[in-house]
């Protein structure tokens, strides 16, 4: 049986995920600007964009932040021009990729939910091994 251990990617891949998260923090503000064109409550969009950008940059609840950003980008996609729609469709795919891959090793998520090691004792009573000293 193959053992599966989920790891947050480190090294070059982890740095690339950090760079992607930082780039999508800027996309959050661009999306807020696009959505504020159709609404009166622009401050709400920019506050939400700032929160999503902060979560993405530090890597806290990254999958949820990427999901929320993907939904916002999809909403902006519906009100954009055809050229902007192509760019925003790519951003929706990028948000989905971050959501599926996770934050990477350089994030708070990796510190909170990183690789855990579980050590099992070889001679536990549950496995039927005799106790030492009993009947010696």
């Amino acid at each position: 049986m193959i053992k599966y251990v989920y790891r947050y990617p480190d090294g070059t891949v982890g740095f690339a995920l950090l760079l992607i998260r930082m780039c999508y923090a800027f996309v959050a503000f661009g999306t807020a600007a696009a959505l504020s064109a159709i609404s009166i409550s622009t401050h709400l969009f920019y506050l939400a964009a700032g929160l999503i950008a902060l979560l993405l940059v530090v890597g806290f609840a990254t999958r949820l932040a990427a999901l929320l950003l993907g939904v916002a980008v999809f909403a902006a996609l519906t009100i954009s021009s055809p050229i902007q729609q192509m760019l925003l469709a790519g951003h929706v795919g990028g948000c989905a990729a971050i959501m599926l891959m996770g934050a990477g090793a350089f994030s708070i998520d990796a510190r909170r939910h990183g690789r855990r090691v579980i050590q099992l004792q070889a001679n536990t009573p549950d496995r039927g091994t005799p106790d030492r000293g009993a009947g010696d």
Side-chain angles (χ1 to χ4, degrees), residues 17-80:
L17 284 170
L18 173 64
L19 183 63
I20 290 170
R21 290 191 338 253
M22 290 175 16
C23 290
Y24 274 95
F26 289 110
V27 170
F29 287 108
T31 304
L35 290 175
S36 66
I38 63 165
S39 178
I40 298 172
S41 60
T42 60
H43 297 296
L44 180 65
F45 287 124
Y46 284 109
L47 181 66
L51 179 64
I52 287 173
L54 178 68
L55 291 175
L56 285 173
V57 168
V58 299
F60 183 72
T62 307
R63 293 173 190 244
L64 177 64
L67 175 68
L68 293 174
L69 181 59
V71 169
V73 170
F74 187 77
L77 185 131
T78 61
I79 60 166
S80 301

Side-chain angles (χ1 to χ4, degrees), residues 1-7 63 100-101 115-116:
M1 174 181 268
I2 298 173
K3 292 185 180 181
Y4 177 72
V5 176
Y6 180 77
R7 269 187 49 181
R63 293 173 190 244
L100 292 173
M101 287 189 307
R115 188 175 6 165
R116 292 186 172 93

